[in-house]
Structure formats: C-alpha cells, structure tokens
Amino acid sequence: MIAITERPTVQVPTKLYTRLSQKEKSKKIMKWIRFRDKKLRGKFEFLKHQDELGLAITLGSAAGMILFAGLYMAGMIPAWTCIVANAVLASILHEVEHDLIHNLYYKDNLKIQNFMFWTVWIFRGNTVSPWYRRMIHTLHHKVSGHKEDIEERLIGNGMKFGLKRFITMMDGNMSFLFQSHILRREAPKFKRSEITRSSWPYLVIYFHLWYNFLFINLFYIGNELLGNPVEIPAWLDTVRHFLNISAVVYTIPNWIRQTSIQIVSSNMHYYGDVKGLHDQTQVLDRWFLFPLHLFCFNFGSTHGIHHFVVNQPFYLRQAVAPFVHPAMKRYGIRFNDFGSIFRANRLGEKETLAAA
C-alpha cells in the first residue's frame, strides 16, 4: 500500500521521466488515483456508506427498468425512449456487478451480496453467471494481455481485424463458437462445461427471446415484400407481439449495452506483447465514442484506472478520471490508439504473435 501524505506531483523533468521503469510509472499513477480518491471520500460524507450506496443503485436501476417498461407498455412513452433508458440503466447494473466481483459491497454479508448478484443477472440476461464471471475476471487481472485471459479473448481481444472479429464483438454465441476450441488449447482454466452451466437459466432465456424476435420479424418482413404468399396464423401474431414487447423492454437494450462494452473493452485492452500492468490498457475518450460510452458507462475512458486500483467503486472511478488522466498521459499510458484494432491489439506496429 502506498502511503498518501501529500498531493503527488506530476511535474517530472523529461529526462527523469524517461529513466523511470514501467513499474515506477505504474506506482506514480496509483498514487495519483489514491490521492484523489482519498480527497473525495474525505469531502463527501455519504461516500462512507459504500455498501448502502451499492444496494441503492442496484435497486434503483432495476426499478427504473421496470418503470420504463411499464410506461412503454401503457403507451405513455415511445419504444426508443424505453430502449435507451433501459440500456443505460442496465449499463449501471453491469458496473455494480463488476464492483461486486471485487467484493466492494457487503463482503461480510453474502446473503445481501448474492441477492445483488441475482438482481444484476436477471436484469442483464445476456451474460453468464456473475459467479462464473468473478472467476474469469479475477483471472483477467492476473493475465491481462495474454493467451490465458478468457474474459477478453471471448469478446475478440487479440483477434485479427475482419468480419470474424466484428461478429465476435456483436454476438456472444458466435464468439463462443469461434473461440472455444482455441481457448481450450491455450487457456487451461477454460472449460466449456463451466460456461454452459453458467448460462442457465437467464442467458438461455435471453437468447431464445432474442433469436426468435429476429427470425420471426425477418419472416414477416420477407413475407410482406413477396406479397404475403404465406397466410400467417393468429397464434404467430400473438407470439410476435410478445417478442416485440420483450425486445423493447429487455432484449434490445441489453444487446445494445453488451455490444457497446464489448466493442470498447476488446479494443482498449492490449494483447500479445504486454509485459506488465503499464501495458495492459489504453484510454479511449474521443467525443465520437459518446454513443458507445453512453451504454457502457464511459468504460473506455475509465477502465484503465481500474487496472491500477481495483478496490474503487465505479462512481468514484468516474469522479477521479479528469484528475488522473493527465498523470496517466504523462507516465506513458496511450490515449485513443485506434490503430490497435488493425494490429490485433498489439502494442507494437507488428503482430508479434499469431492472432486467434
């Protein structure tokens, strides 16, 4: 633990900066993060109630999703409003799950913690079990940027640029089909049976709703374009109506949320030639990323901070970002390296390892 007695200084002479090792640079960044975190916690008394804040955010976000779903079904708001609102609220629940994985809420009360886990999973059905995610996310911090990183490789990190990677980032099932045989060979902790078990019941339910919504609506559109050669039974109209409602209130918002974070996360993490903590991530904070960041809670701009200090709730990570980013840039963290996707997320100009 680095002691924080005074405001750290980032006014490092250039020659001295170039002499710092990556480990020393990482320690400097950690010191800046912890300094700002300590200042905020001391200034705002309510931040001391971290457990209660986490629970309130969880229940509030879940209630918000139910509220917007009810307003849509009552005809009081249009579909796009419900989709956008529920996608944003689901992204907040994703951040809560991530904090829970790091034991930031109710670490001494497993009943409440597990209740929160169940809640965030139910309202974000297109993910594996949060208990399984805890294992692969903890592993991610240990082996980030290497072949054993199950979590990031399942969403496309390290893959060559092209259609296969695009599909991997957009669809979890196709990602599993593309990557599972490679991960079985290269990542010892990857077990297909464990992912299958961790998909029940909510991931399975989600994909049944999602694929049926897509296929039935494609059938209706195709049938109409061809002049309605197929007479559609009344029961199928009822099924379609149900699937369309579930799409607006649940499946489309979560697809947008999941796709946004997978695009951002798989491109902000480096892979292959990562030597340590300093090399693991970059910062993505350009203005045109706002549509993606809206639905993944500004992940590309702030997740790199988490890699340096993991025991910080998501709202504080957002709060310290403007203060910490200049220090991260000073100590060599890359910003907006969009070319990394064309290098299969390599730090260097060349793909030093064969991409998956």
Side-chain angles (χ1 to χ4, degrees):
M1 182 69 70
I2 300 173
I4 302 172
T5 57
E6 59 181 11
R7 178 185 177 118
T9 176
V10 79
Q11 301 301 320
V12 181
T14 303
K15 289 184 179 180
L16 179 58
Y17 165 71
T18 58
R19 294 172 187 166
L20 294 176
S21 67
Q22 285 199 352
K23 187 173 182 179
E24 289 170 329
K25 293 174 187 176
S26 296
K27 286 183 177 180
K28 293 282 188 181
I29 294 169
M30 291 178 195
K31 193 171 183 178
W32 273 85
I33 296 168
R34 288 171 177 154
F35 171 82
R36 190 59 173 174
D37 183 279
K38 184 178 179 181
K39 294 286 284 186
L40 289 171
R41 289 178 186 271
K43 184 177 181 180
F44 298 104
E45 189 74 19
F46 70 89
L47 293 175
K48 295 180 180 179
H49 304 284
Q50 188 165 299
D51 289 345
E52 293 79 6
L53 280 172
L55 182 59
I57 293 169
T58 302
L59 297 177
S61 299
M65 291 183 72
I66 294 170
L67 172 63
F68 280 102
L71 291 174
Y72 167 70
M73 289 187 285
M76 299 176 68
I77 59 172
W80 70 266
T81 301
C82 182
I83 290 170
V84 170
N86 278 5
V88 171
L89 290 167
S91 76
I92 296 173
L93 289 173
H94 181 83
E95 293 299 312
V96 171
E97 182 197 65
H98 177 253
D99 286 353
L100 285 165
I101 284 170
H102 287 282
N103 266 321
L104 298 188
Y105 310 123
Y106 293 101
K107 64 179 180 180
D108 297 321
N109 191 329
L110 289 182
K111 287 185 178 180
I112 297 180
Q113 191 178 91
N114 286 335
F115 167 75
M116 293 172 70
F117 263 145
W118 279 110
T119 302
V120 298
W121 191 18
I122 290 169
F123 284 86
R124 299 158 36 264
N126 57 337
T127 66
V128 293
S129 152
W131 294 276
Y132 178 74
R133 269 208 71 217
R134 173 174 274 171
M135 185 277 287
I136 62 174
H137 186 73
T138 303
L139 179 67
H140 162 66
H141 279 279
K142 294 178 181 177
V143 297
S144 182
H146 298 282
K147 290 181 178 181
E148 298 85 0
D149 189 354
I150 297 169
E151 185 176 54
E152 281 300 317
R153 295 192 67 192
L154 275 174
I155 62 174
N157 185 247
M159 293 179 71
K160 291 181 178 178
F161 179 76
L163 180 61
K164 184 177 178 181
R165 174 162 182 164
F166 179 77
I167 294 172
T168 295
M169 293 186 298
M170 302 288 283
D171 187 281
N173 274 337
M174 295 305 297
S175 168
F176 181 75
L177 292 175
F178 289 154
Q179 294 290 82
S180 61
H181 67 288
I182 299 171
L183 289 172
R184 286 179 68 187
R185 183 175 67 249
E186 297 181 349
K189 291 194 176 182
F190 177 81
K191 302 289 188 294
R192 291 185 62 172
S193 59
E194 288 183 358
I195 290 189
T196 301
R197 284 197 301 270
S198 70
S199 300
W200 289 88
Y202 301 114
L203 185 61
V204 175
I205 293 171
Y206 176 89
F207 275 119
H208 274 82
L209 291 172
W210 177 239
Y211 288 138
N212 278 296
F213 160 74
L214 294 176
F215 293 146
I216 288 178
N217 277 283
L218 283 173
F219 167 72
Y220 269 73
I221 292 169
N223 194 46
E224 187 172 339
L225 290 174
L226 294 172
N228 295 306
V230 178
E231 184 177 349
I232 296 175
W235 66 265
L236 192 56
D237 280 332
T238 303
V239 171
R240 185 194 185 201
H241 179 67
F242 168 77
L243 290 172
N244 287 351
I245 290 175
S246 68
V248 171
V249 304
Y250 187 64
T251 55
I252 293 177
N254 272 301
W255 179 82
I256 292 173
R257 178 204 63 78
Q258 186 79 348
T259 300
S260 296
I261 198 168
Q262 289 184 172
I263 292 172
V264 173
S265 184
S266 68
N267 289 299
M268 69 161 296
H269 287 87
Y270 287 106
Y271 175 84
D273 49 356
V274 172
K275 298 180 180 65
L277 174 62
H278 190 271
D279 292 341
Q280 290 175 1
T281 61
Q282 61 167 306
V283 175
L284 298 175
D285 63 354
R286 286 286 175 83
W287 65 268
F288 52 78
L289 294 173
F290 174 76
L292 292 174
H293 279 158
L294 176 64
F295 301 116
C296 65
F297 213 81
N298 203 30
F299 188 90
S301 179
T302 61
H303 184 67
I305 296 170
H306 170 69
H307 271 246
F308 288 100
V309 176
V310 299
N311 62 340
Q312 186 179 51
F314 72 97
Y315 46 86
L316 274 174
R317 193 160 59 248
Q318 298 292 329
V320 305
F323 182 84
V324 173
H325 279 169
M328 295 177 75
K329 188 173 291 187
R330 165 73 72 163
Y331 293 113
I333 301 302
R334 297 188 187 190
F335 278 63
N336 302 306
D337 177 19
F338 296 108
S340 68
I341 190 174
F342 302 107
R343 305 193 303 268
N345 301 115
R346 297 322 191 251
L347 280 159
E349 292 302 318
K350 295 182 180 180
E351 297 180 15
T352 56
L353 296 173

